[in-house]
Amino acid sequence: MPNQRRLLYITDQDEYMDHSFIAPLFEIYLKKYLHIDIVYFTEFKSDFEHKDLYHFIVPSRYKNALLDELNRNNVDMQSYDYVMVRNNIEILEQVLRDRETYGYKALFRFSYPKRSIKISCAEAENKTDLLAPVVHHFKTASETNIINQCDAFLPTSRAMHKAFRPDVNITTILCPPAINPRLLYENEQHTEDEKRFVYVGTLDALREFETVLDAFSQLESKKWKLLISTRDTSYAEEMLENYPHIKDQIEICNAQTKEAMLELIAKSDIGVALLPAIPIYTTSTSVKIFDYYASAVPCLMANAEHTATIFTNRVDAWFCNFSKEDICKEIEYLITLSKHEVMKVGEKGQQRLLDIRNYETIAKTIAQKIETL
């Protein structure tokens, strides 16, 4: 399209990381409306690389002079109508400094609160730095002043905006995770007489997965199995040593690829997305929930205000509070449901996401709002 406006998206991610959020939204759906080039960084290469027509791989050492490095490699900054920076304030400052020179609009994508997560993790591991919250307060104020110089702010959700960047007051365009309507998978119904639960994701002190295991350990029924797919397999194995009487009903694996992970989910009955009720988890929807529903696998998730804006309890998902008593009670209920009843909840949840939270419609909305700036 000859008159398509051009956007340069500067990620904060390495080229070899999982780009399951960036790829569908920015590389497929938004490209219907905007010409998009994407910058990734690398610790493993010494030279700039045009990976293909739309991808630029930049050695991390050039982050402090990124726009100069792009120019040196024949990336015409003046050709862009918009430059979007993901999470990195230092790069954003460079983009703002040169905005008038090149004539683009500056956008800031806030996908997750890195520093807040780091502080919460330290507290969960009893490594609290008393100065960290004070430093965080002043850094947040300084960063807010920088973000407010942009032409638009793209947080993951309104709740995340309110909780972590409440004083950002510029034009806001929501950029949430969503389901990819082109990548739906058939839910393979296993024949065993058990409810097969699946948890995919990180395990650490902050996520308090012991609470979930405590709930499973109190179940009266034995007609269940829990599949855990995580990179932290040694952490998981160590955790399971405290649950010898249910250890045989839990399988730990590490799905190395997105395809392997989705295959594991598709063979399960119910996805587990239970996280503590703290702002870094309650202000956005876990990307794994969308992975579950891509296979129409319904999800047991923590009861949170943000979650309730998308799903309805016992219609297209199941909610419970993050306590072993509530989790145990809800799992006991889920075990009593027939396969058909579980499937219906999964199908309704998938359709709900296709109706209100799919990348195709989100991309159209984002593009329309960007082009009005």
Side-chain angles (χ1 to χ4, degrees):
M1 296 175 67
N3 297 320
Q4 226 179 10
R5 294 194 178 187
R6 294 170 60 86
L7 182 148
L8 178 67
Y9 185 38
I10 303 171
T11 75
D12 57 343
Q13 292 192 315
D14 185 271
E15 64 168 318
Y16 298 113
M17 287 179 67
D18 174 16
H19 303 139
S20 55
F21 176 78
I22 291 174
L25 180 58
F26 287 89
E27 296 188 5
I28 300 173
Y29 296 108
L30 271 172
K31 281 193 172 181
K32 291 182 180 180
Y33 310 99
L34 299 161
H35 173 101
I36 296 179
D37 293 331
I38 302 179
V39 174
Y40 291 112
F41 294 97
T42 181
E43 299 283 350
F44 307 104
K45 296 173 183 175
S46 58
D47 297 317
F48 181 96
E49 179 185 345
H50 281 263
K51 192 168 185 181
D52 55 38
L53 285 175
Y54 308 108
H55 295 82
F56 310 132
I57 310 301
V58 179
S60 295
R61 70 175 185 273
Y62 292 120
K63 278 186 179 181
N64 293 334
L66 176 61
L67 271 59
D68 293 338
E69 178 65 9
L70 292 172
N71 274 317
R72 275 197 298 272
N73 288 277
N74 301 314
V75 177
D76 182 8
M77 293 303 301
Q78 212 149 8
S79 72
Y80 293 106
D81 300 282
Y82 316 100
V83 177
M84 184 186 299
V85 178
R86 184 180 192 264
N87 294 323
N88 191 305
I89 293 291
E90 289 74 22
I91 292 176
L92 179 63
E93 288 184 285
Q94 296 176 52
V95 167
L96 287 168
R97 183 192 64 211
D98 291 342
R99 174 171 50 180
E100 288 189 20
T101 301
Y102 296 116
Y104 51 67
K105 302 282 188 183
L107 317 176
F108 186 66
R109 166 78 178 109
F110 179 53
S111 67
Y112 57 94
K114 285 184 179 179
R115 202 166 48 246
S116 296
I117 291 172
K118 188 175 180 180
I119 291 171
S120 296
C121 285
E123 290 174 351
E125 295 170 2
N126 295 316
K127 298 176 182 177
T128 305
D129 178 353
L130 295 178
L131 285 178
V134 178
V135 172
H136 174 61
H137 171 79
F138 286 105
K139 279 191 174 181
T140 299
S142 173
E143 291 165 356
T144 295
N145 289 334
I146 296 166
I147 295 167
N148 277 335
Q149 297 172 44
C150 293
D151 296 283
F153 175 60
L154 289 88
T156 294
S157 68
R158 288 188 180 86
M160 186 177 284
H161 183 178
K162 182 179 177 182
F164 298 105
R165 298 288 180 182
D167 297 320
V168 171
N169 53 24
I170 57 174
T171 298
T172 299
I173 303 170
L174 294 183
C175 189
I179 198 167
N180 185 347
R182 293 188 190 178
L183 287 177
L184 303 179
Y185 301 84
E186 188 172 350
N187 187 340
E188 303 173 29
Q189 292 297 309
H190 64 86
T191 57
E192 286 84 354
D193 184 25
E194 64 186 14
K195 281 293 181 305
R196 194 175 289 177
F197 296 85
V198 61
Y199 173 86
V200 174
T202 303
L203 293 175
D204 56 23
L206 186 58
R207 286 169 172 80
E208 298 181 31
F209 197 72
E210 293 92 340
T211 302
V212 177
L213 293 177
D214 287 343
F216 273 101
S217 71
Q218 291 186 342
L219 293 173
E220 292 183 10
S221 172
K222 297 297 181 184
K223 291 186 176 181
W224 61 270
K225 185 173 184 179
L226 173 61
L227 308 175
I228 299 173
S229 178
T230 182
R231 289 172 297 178
D232 317 295
T233 53
S234 58
Y235 186 96
E237 294 283 2
E238 188 177 327
M239 194 185 302
L240 283 188
E241 291 301 318
N242 296 318
Y243 301 90
H245 65 293
I246 60 170
K247 194 175 177 183
D248 290 344
Q249 290 175 262
I250 300 174
E251 181 180 332
I252 298 172
C253 59
N254 180 5
Q256 297 282 347
T257 65
K258 181 88 170 178
E259 291 72 25
M261 179 193 73
L262 291 169
E263 184 179 332
L264 182 72
I265 290 171
K267 293 177 179 177
S268 305
D269 298 306
I270 296 167
V272 176
L274 295 164
L275 293 165
I278 56 178
I280 60 173
Y281 296 137
T282 60
T283 56
S284 65
T285 308
S286 168
V287 173
K288 298 309 175 193
I289 288 176
F290 299 97
D291 291 331
Y292 294 141
Y293 280 100
S295 297
V297 170
C299 196
L300 172 60
M301 59 189 79
N303 191 6
E305 184 179 349
H306 176 75
T307 306
T309 65
I310 303 171
F311 298 102
T312 302
N313 187 31
R314 298 198 176 185
V315 174
D316 44 29
W318 298 283
F319 299 167
C320 67
N321 295 321
F322 193 77
S323 70
K324 66 179 180 181
E325 292 80 14
D326 279 12
I327 296 170
C328 180
K329 183 178 177 181
E330 195 65 18
I331 292 173
E332 286 281 14
Y333 163 73
L334 295 178
I335 290 172
T336 68
L337 297 179
S338 68
K339 275 186 174 290
H340 179 74
E341 288 171 314
V342 171
M343 284 174 58
K344 283 298 178 187
V345 174
E347 289 167 1
K348 287 178 182 177
Q350 185 184 83
Q351 189 58 53
R352 172 69 173 162
L353 292 177
L354 290 171
D355 289 342
I356 69 160
R357 287 288 292 275
N358 81 75
Y359 281 127
E360 199 155 25
T361 56
I362 285 170
K364 184 177 181 180
T365 300
I366 290 174
Q368 288 172 341
K369 291 186 176 180
I370 285 176
E371 292 196 20
T372 64
L373 296 174

